[in-house]
């Protein structure tokens, strides 16, 4: 049995998948957080959050790396850790630096920092010749307006250090770009209280299907687990409305996407890491959207497990312990699995969800999760605004996406407007 140090976590699905993977392999963990209430609030009423089943709960200055590193050393002396983990993007660099400080397995802190910073990723990949959009990194609105004239509209404006599609916007003209810049400037702290970098990343607007490549790199060897497709909505925002694994691509498209993802990880120097690399399949070939040095969110990790039997959360634990993960596919009876998200387009208070009766008993359904009545709702502008999801599988082929789309088509949130 190993003992791991877990530094913060998302409060979504990975915050449950990671403790499950630890428990199933017989490991335990110490949990470091600056705000225990963040996790208490996210637990269903009457239930405890699995992160709070840790062997030890330690309140720590997780946003202050200079204070965190010596604290981790003292804890290591007392508790003896075998690995360091986090599922939250905002703490991936800290986890890598702690692992290095304690002499434990883990990816290069520099590689993780470059992958987590969208502007750094762009520079590293461009220098290595990995295909991506034309881009510019701007310090302020005036600089962004000048750079946009060189790139050309439409383009994409995004923060360099946020997640879940927050503040990522398609902009078609100077007025929309100025609006996007001012919205970012008015958001100085992220959801974990960390001060944001004010730089603005502008990118050429890419057209074509978007996919993600799920990989595991251990001891310098990259294993491609598969390719997931995604549907995106949200008008000028980029909201992921659903995913299917495996993606319905031609063999040539799959090979091109996976080659590009592997090249991106190698250029960044990522090793001993589970990664989720987003790729746009343009008419001119694959282009890297971003590289995430952690397992995929938005239930993609569970889609992979339902189809292949491969548990990417468990693989994340293994590589953190310096162990080769078991990535052998197993027969599950499913040929595809898909998830579709319930995305609100208006604000109000959730009174109920019409059409939800019988969803859990429908053919092929694997999961149903819906927000509780009384939930405060606003029109979604990122992947943080979902009101639930439906997941289903197909035993015959790539029919899972059509299945969840049909199921969700009859579901409507009923809102009470103030």
């Amino acid at each position: 049995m190993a003992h791991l140090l877990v530094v913060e976590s998302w409060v979504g699905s990975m915050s449950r998948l990671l403790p499950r993977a630890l428990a199933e392999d017989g490991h335990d963990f110490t949990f470091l957080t600056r705000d225990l209430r963040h996790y208490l609030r996210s637990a269903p009423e009457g239930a405890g959050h699995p992160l709070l089943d840790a062997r030890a709960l330690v309140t720590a200055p997780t946003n202050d790396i200079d204070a965190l590193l010596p604290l981790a050393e003292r804890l290591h002396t007392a508790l003896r850790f075998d690995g360091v983990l986090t599922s939250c993007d905002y703490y991936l660099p800290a986890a890598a630096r702690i692992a290095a400080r304690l002499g434990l397995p883990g990816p290069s802190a520099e590689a993780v920092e470059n992958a987590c910073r969208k502007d750094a990723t762009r520079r590293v990949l461009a220098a290595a010749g990995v295909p991506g959009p034309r881009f510019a990194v701007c310090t302020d609105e005036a600089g962004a307006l000048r750079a946009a004239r060189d790139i050309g509209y439409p383009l994409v404006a995004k923060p360099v250090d946020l997640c879940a599609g927050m503040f990522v916007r398609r902009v078609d003209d100077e007025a929309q770009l100025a609006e996007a810049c001012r919205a970012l400037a008015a958001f100085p702290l992220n959801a974990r209280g960390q001060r944001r970098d004010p730089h603005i990343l502008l990118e050429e607007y890419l057209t074509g299907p978007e996919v993600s490549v799920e990989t595991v790199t251990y001891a310098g060897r990259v294993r491609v687990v598969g390719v997931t497709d995604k549907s995106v909505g949200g008008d000028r925002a980029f909201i992921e409305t659903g995913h299917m694994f495996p993606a319905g691509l031609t063999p040539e498209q799959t090979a091109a996407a996976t080659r590009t993802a592997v090249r991106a990880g190698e250029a960044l120097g990522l090793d001993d890491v589970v990664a989720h690399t987003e790729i746009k399949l343009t008419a001119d070939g694959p282009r890297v959207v971003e590289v995430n040095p952690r397992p995929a969110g938005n239930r993609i990790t569970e889609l992979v497990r339902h189809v292949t039997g491969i548990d990417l959360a468990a693989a994340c634990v293994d590589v953190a312990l310096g162990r080769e993960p078991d990535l052998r596919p197993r027969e599950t009876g499913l040929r595809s699995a898909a998830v579709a998200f319930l995305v609100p387009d208006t604000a109000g208070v959730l009174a109920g969800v019409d059409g939800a009766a019988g969803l859990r008993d429908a053919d092929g359904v694997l999961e149903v999760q819906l927000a509780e009545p009384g939930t405060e709702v606003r029109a979604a502008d990122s992947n943080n605004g979902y009101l639930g999801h439906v997941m289903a599988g197909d035993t015959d082929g790539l029919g899972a996406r059509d299945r969840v789309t049909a199921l969700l088509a009859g579901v409507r949130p009923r809102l009470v407007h103030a």
Side-chain angles (χ1 to χ4, degrees):
M1 180 176 76
H3 182 204
L4 291 94
L5 178 64
V6 177
V7 184
E8 302 285 9
S9 171
W10 289 123
V11 293
S13 60
M14 191 53 67
S15 71
R16 289 162 174 78
L17 297 180
L18 203 55
R20 183 188 74 186
L22 287 164
E24 287 180 350
D25 284 345
H27 308 314
D28 65 6
F29 64 99
T30 289
F31 186 53
L32 252 59
T33 177
R34 62 186 286 271
D35 182 9
L36 193 59
R37 295 168 299 176
H38 187 73
Y39 303 93
L40 292 170
R41 288 192 296 266
S42 73
E45 189 169 345
H49 198 293
L51 285 167
L52 307 185
D53 292 334
R55 181 202 290 187
L57 298 171
V58 180
T59 300
T62 52
N63 285 353
D64 182 351
I65 192 66
D66 291 332
L68 185 60
L69 289 173
L71 173 61
E73 282 186 309
R74 293 194 297 273
L75 290 171
H76 184 48
T77 299
L79 300 174
R80 305 310 303 174
F81 304 120
D82 300 295
V84 185
L85 275 176
T86 183
S87 69
C88 181
D89 297 51
Y90 299 139
Y91 296 98
L92 288 165
R97 291 183 65 179
I98 291 171
R101 181 75 162 253
L102 303 184
L104 297 174
S108 151
E110 180 183 8
V112 171
E113 287 164 359
N114 283 338
C116 289
R117 281 282 304 236
K118 295 177 175 63
D119 53 341
T121 298
R122 284 280 167 250
R123 292 186 178 110
V124 171
L125 297 191
V130 179
R134 291 179 293 119
F135 71 95
V137 182
C138 311
T139 57
D140 55 23
E141 180 182 326
L145 291 169
R146 288 192 299 272
R149 287 191 278 272
D150 292 330
I151 297 174
Y153 295 99
L155 51 78
V156 178
K158 59 176 66 172
V160 298
D161 56 0
L162 289 176
C163 309
M166 292 183 67
F167 293 96
V168 179
R169 297 291 181 268
R170 169 181 163 143
V171 294
D172 296 322
D173 53 39
E174 289 193 349
Q176 290 182 358
L177 179 55
E179 176 190 352
C181 291
R182 289 166 193 165
L184 265 179
F187 193 76
L189 303 176
N190 67 23
R192 297 309 181 91
Q194 298 169 333
R195 184 156 295 279
R196 290 194 48 256
D197 187 294
H199 283 85
I200 305 152
L201 178 61
L202 301 186
E203 296 177 351
E204 171 191 8
Y205 181 76
L206 301 174
T207 59
E210 189 168 335
V211 300
S212 64
V213 181
E214 323 308 335
T215 57
V216 179
T217 306
Y218 172 74
R221 181 188 178 198
V222 185
R223 292 281 302 276
V224 176
V225 175
V227 181
T228 312
D229 73 14
K230 72 172 63 179
S231 53
V232 179
D235 192 21
R236 287 174 52 211
F238 294 84
I239 302 172
E240 296 175 0
T241 59
H243 303 282
M244 185 174 75
F245 183 90
L249 303 178
T250 66
E252 293 76 18
Q253 288 174 315
T254 299
T258 55
R259 276 198 307 270
T260 303
V262 170
R263 286 183 61 197
E266 290 174 343
L268 287 162
L270 289 171
D271 196 3
D272 297 325
V273 71
V274 178
H276 166 73
T277 303
E278 297 177 357
I279 304 282
K280 201 83 166 177
L281 300 176
T282 76
D284 297 318
R287 298 289 183 268
V288 175
V289 176
E290 62 185 42
V291 180
N292 300 281
R294 43 81 178 158
N298 258 3
R299 307 306 289 163
I300 291 173
T301 295
E302 286 297 88
L303 299 181
V304 172
R305 185 179 66 84
H306 280 300
V307 174
T308 68
I310 296 171
D311 187 340
L312 290 174
C316 191
V317 173
D318 284 333
V319 296
L321 292 171
R323 301 175 181 177
E324 183 171 5
D326 182 1
L327 301 177
R328 293 171 296 177
R330 291 176 286 282
E331 180 58 51
T332 66
L334 293 181
R335 296 295 170 261
S336 65
V339 63
F341 298 101
L342 186 59
V343 182
D345 56 11
T346 57
V349 177
L350 186 66
V353 180
D354 295 331
L359 269 182
R360 287 179 172 81
D361 298 323
D363 185 45
V365 167
L366 301 168
E367 290 181 7
V368 176
Q369 180 179 315
L370 299 170
E372 295 293 329
T375 300
E376 296 269 351
V377 179
R378 63 171 188 161
D381 58 6
S382 73
N383 298 338
N384 292 326
Y386 301 136
L387 289 180
H389 68 264
V390 177
M391 183 188 294
D394 179 21
T395 58
D396 298 322
L398 299 178
R401 175 180 289 285
D402 290 343
R403 182 68 181 138
V404 293
T405 300
L407 288 168
L408 204 62
V411 175
R412 291 285 183 274
R414 187 171 70 258
L415 302 182
V416 176
H417 301 282

